[in-house]
Amino acid sequence: MKHIYLNLKRFDIPTEFGGVNRIAPVADWAEYIVKNTQEELKQYDPSEVEFGMYFPEVHLLHAAKAKTEGSPIKLGCQGVYRADTAVDGNFGAFTTNRPASAMAVAGCETTIIGHCEERNDKAGILAEAGVTDTDAINRLLNQEMKCAIERGMRVLYCIGEKSKEQEQWQEVLGKQLEIGLKGIDTSKVVIAYEPIWSIGPGKTPAGKDYITKIARFVKEKTGGMDLVYGGGLKQDNAAMLASIEEIDGGLIALTRFQGEIGFYPEEYLEIIRLYMEG
């Protein structure tokens, strides 16, 4: 099965505040995206491809309300807390954090965990406490995944190596998989590979041979779990990624990287078309 995911990060911020949102007022932004994609996505067989959209949490209720009957969109959140609410237990005193229960009742069916930006945030917090053990990050992500799965959500689990880790990529990715997936029902998880060293302005994107090498390693390490390319599925690389047998989809973020940079629904749909026909 193919998986096409959309990480909307903070693309809701208007340009006058330094953001990239040019498509709709912030109060209508999530509804605009759902309404301008879900009908087109219905042309694809749901048994062959799934579409997950990860919204900033403030927009989740608007996105859920905009979904029509039979909408192929799987609504997702951009993470959950490592602890959850429980009857006769903690009722949700997690200031600044959102437990999986809150995301589930908001309509989320999936969540993204372990994105390189989340890993960097956790690494920074641990570093302030004098902790440099990257295994600790994987253990925290493992706790988050367990909470999400317990609430009925599927998980997109991101792994990837930084520039300084490239020579030890097998060890780095191996630990992210081994520790992160420990005790997890992997039938509820899709892996996303992010070549962190190649993401960003001025960096050379990972090539087909490198992505294939990593994909084969992940497949072997996980017993064949579904794997998508998390380094950015774009118009420029859609056909190339579609040609890699071991890659089962991709993660889309920005759709336009020059001029009026941003996310545009019509360009999102074009990327999907190019990938599915590639």
Side-chain angles (χ1 to χ4, degrees):
M1 186 174 186
K2 297 297 183 182
H3 311 269
I4 307 294
Y5 299 107
L6 172 61
N7 186 11
L8 290 157
K9 298 186 178 182
R10 294 294 173 184
F11 298 162
D12 53 333
I13 301 172
T15 54
E16 58 266 31
F17 287 94
V20 297
N21 175 23
R22 298 179 176 87
I23 61 176
V26 67
D28 306 319
W29 179 78
E31 183 177 2
Y32 181 91
I33 291 172
V34 172
K35 286 187 173 181
N36 283 276
T37 57
Q38 62 185 348
E39 294 304 319
E40 288 291 327
L41 294 177
K42 288 180 179 179
Q43 68 179 291
Y44 298 101
D45 187 339
S47 68
E48 296 180 356
V49 59
E50 71 164 355
F51 301 101
M53 292 187 179
Y54 301 108
F55 282 89
E57 64 183 40
V58 70
H59 296 290
L60 286 172
L61 296 180
H62 294 286
K65 186 176 181 180
K67 288 179 62 175
T68 58
E69 184 177 355
S71 174
I73 293 173
K74 304 294 185 183
L75 188 62
C77 54
Q78 297 182 334
V80 299
Y81 190 49
R82 64 181 181 274
D84 203 357
T85 58
V87 177
D88 297 323
N90 194 311
F91 62 86
F94 307 125
T95 301
T96 79
N97 294 296
R98 284 291 181 266
S101 56
M103 297 296 90
V105 297
C108 291
E109 299 174 78
T110 179
T111 185
I112 183 170
I113 289 177
H115 189 281
C116 63
E117 292 162 0
E118 181 187 9
R119 288 181 180 273
N120 284 341
D121 178 54
K122 285 179 166 54
I125 294 171
L126 291 171
E128 286 295 322
V131 179
T132 57
D133 177 17
T134 56
D135 289 351
I137 297 172
N138 295 318
R139 290 194 295 269
L140 290 171
L141 298 174
N142 175 269
Q143 293 171 31
E144 293 175 1
M145 281 194 278
K146 286 178 178 176
C147 286
I149 293 171
E150 183 67 23
R151 290 295 178 181
M153 283 186 272
R154 293 181 61 80
V155 172
L156 179 63
Y157 178 51
C158 300
I159 65 170
E161 78 281 22
K162 299 178 181 179
S163 297
K164 64 181 181 181
E165 299 170 328
Q166 272 194 278
E167 291 187 5
Q168 296 83 35
W169 68 267
Q170 287 179 299
E171 179 183 356
V172 171
L173 299 184
K175 284 189 174 182
Q176 290 175 357
L177 292 168
E178 181 181 351
I179 298 171
L181 296 174
K182 186 176 181 180
I184 295 287
D185 179 358
T186 56
S187 70
K188 307 295 185 183
V189 181
V190 173
I191 303 296
Y193 169 61
E194 296 181 283
I196 302 169
W197 54 270
S198 75
I199 301 173
K203 295 184 178 180
T204 302
K208 180 177 179 179
D209 290 345
Y210 193 92
I211 296 171
T212 302
K213 176 182 72 172
I214 300 295
R216 288 174 177 169
F217 171 82
V218 173
K219 289 283 189 180
E220 180 179 354
K221 193 77 174 177
T222 64
M225 287 178 65
D226 282 359
L227 170 71
V228 303
Y229 182 65
L233 173 58
K234 314 165 189 176
Q235 293 190 36
D236 291 346
N237 66 10
M240 180 271 285
L241 292 172
S243 71
I244 301 176
E245 183 179 353
E246 293 84 0
I247 292 292
D248 304 300
L251 178 61
I252 299 170
L254 292 175
T255 61
R256 190 180 304 177
F257 300 86
Q258 295 179 338
E260 294 189 333
I261 295 170
F263 170 82
Y264 298 89
E266 66 276 11
E267 295 173 353
Y268 161 76
L269 294 170
E270 176 63 9
I271 293 170
I272 292 173
R273 185 191 69 79
L274 291 170
Y275 178 79
M276 295 301 293
E277 295 179 0

